[in-house]
Amino acid sequence: MSELKLTALIIEDEENIGNFMSAILKANGYKVILCATGEQGIQCAESYCPDIILLDLGLPDIDGMEVLKEIRRWAVTPIIIISARNLEAEKVSALDAGADDYITKPFGNEELLARIRTALRHRRQPLQADTGTPVYCAKGLKIDFDKRRVFIGEKEIRLTQIEYKLVSLLAENAGRVITYEAIIRDIWGPHADTNNQILRVNMANIRRKIEKNPATPQYIFTEVGVGYRMLENEFSN
Ligand code: CA
């Protein structure tokens, strides 16, 4: 195959994590550039114009948030944050500052590759709702964006207006985390006097309707302290 390789820039000072990611990506056909400092990372982003950037926020020289903001000043390249556990506030600020997604340490090969595929896909071709076919389909859950109808297998699921908006927003961004704030803004508007409680109530109702066991959801996952992530779309793979 003479396919052109996608270039991934990894900005990570922990050698073992950097090498681990680099090995996975190389084995999966990516060209990899590995930088251990923020300054070097910014320089490499400018000179190589990578297709995807994996950015650790805890860097030895400058804060990863500064690296993110600096790159976002001129590039729309998808950026995935590599984050430690229990740093939810940090994840939210990174998403608000233009990161596309994050991945929490420790993570495995499949998770890393899936996050990258999703981020690349969303930059290249946003889901079209006018194809006339169900554009979301995963594990028996189908959403026909044209007709605004939701099915589990053959059974149609009756959602309220708000519930449908919520499910379709997450489905259009399937595989990516969407922050609570972004969801509230999208559904209730930028000046809405609303809070996470209303969102949680709607989500609980949706889960009762679509999940076999709402306590262990298989379609819409909670990213504690950050937002929701919907199962990746099988239809667009
Ligand atoms: Ca680090």
Side-chain angles (χ1 to χ4, degrees):
M1 287 217 293
S2 61
E3 209 176 307
L4 282 176
K5 285 189 173 187
L6 289 167
T7 302
L9 169 61
I10 302 171
I11 309 172
E12 166 67 81
D13 62 316
E14 275 171 74
E15 219 181 310
N16 53 344
I17 296 180
N19 291 339
F20 166 72
M21 288 194 293
S22 174
I24 295 170
L25 293 183
K26 281 181 184 162
N28 283 275
Y30 291 84
K31 184 181 163 203
V32 177
I33 299 148
L34 182 53
C35 295
T37 67
E39 288 289 358
Q40 213 192 334
I42 291 171
Q43 271 177 26
C44 286
E46 288 171 2
S47 42
Y48 292 96
C49 291
D51 299 289
I52 179 109
I53 298 171
L54 296 144
L55 171 65
D56 175 30
L57 292 181
L59 294 167
D61 54 342
I62 42 176
D63 194 303
M65 281 296 290
E66 294 311 312
V67 177
L68 170 64
K69 287 175 189 162
E70 183 58 36
I71 296 174
R72 264 293 165 268
R73 283 176 47 198
W74 60 274
V76 296
T77 317
I79 300 175
I80 299 176
I81 299 300
I82 308 155
S83 179
R85 249 172 235 298
N86 305 321
L87 291 175
E88 276 66 37
E90 182 186 271
K91 294 170 184 171
V92 171
S93 3
L95 292 166
D96 285 343
D100 291 75
D101 205 345
Y102 62 81
I103 186 162
T104 306
K105 298 178 204 177
F107 48 82
N109 309 11
E110 287 314 313
E111 193 183 358
L112 176 66
L113 293 168
R115 287 295 150 76
I116 292 176
R117 275 197 309 270
T118 302
L120 287 169
R121 189 161 60 227
H122 279 278
R123 284 293 169 183
R124 262 191 265 125
Q125 28 168 257
L127 271 185
Q128 294 299 310
D130 57 4
T131 52
T133 43
V135 287
Y136 181 87
C137 184
K139 275 194 188 167
L141 172 65
K142 262 186 240 147
I143 302 173
D144 184 328
F145 291 113
D146 259 3
K147 301 196 172 77
R148 299 165 68 85
R149 295 172 78 182
V150 179
F151 299 86
I152 300 278
E154 299 297 305
K155 187 176 164 244
E156 180 156 13
I157 305 296
R158 299 283 170 195
L159 297 178
T160 66
Q161 196 74 260
I162 294 283
E163 288 164 5
Y164 177 78
K165 273 193 178 179
L166 186 42
V167 169
S168 58
L169 172 67
L170 293 171
E172 280 162 13
N173 292 282
R176 291 171 66 199
V177 65
I178 308 293
T179 64
Y180 299 125
E181 206 196 308
I183 295 171
I184 289 169
R185 231 187 296 124
D186 188 90
I187 294 179
W188 287 279
H191 307 298
D193 178 21
T194 188
N195 52 46
N196 289 3
Q197 183 57 30
I198 295 165
L199 181 54
R200 271 202 296 273
V201 168
N202 275 282
M203 184 54 71
N205 291 336
I206 292 169
R207 281 181 171 149
R208 262 196 296 275
K209 292 177 183 180
I210 67 169
E211 302 282 0
K212 261 202 204 94
N213 180 359
T216 51
Q218 55 172 341
Y219 297 117
I220 301 175
F221 310 104
T222 301
E223 301 268 329
V224 178
V226 181
Y228 296 107
R229 183 193 302 275
M230 193 147 169
L231 184 66
E232 258 203 270
N233 193 355
E234 290 161 10
F235 187 76
S236 60
N237 277 342

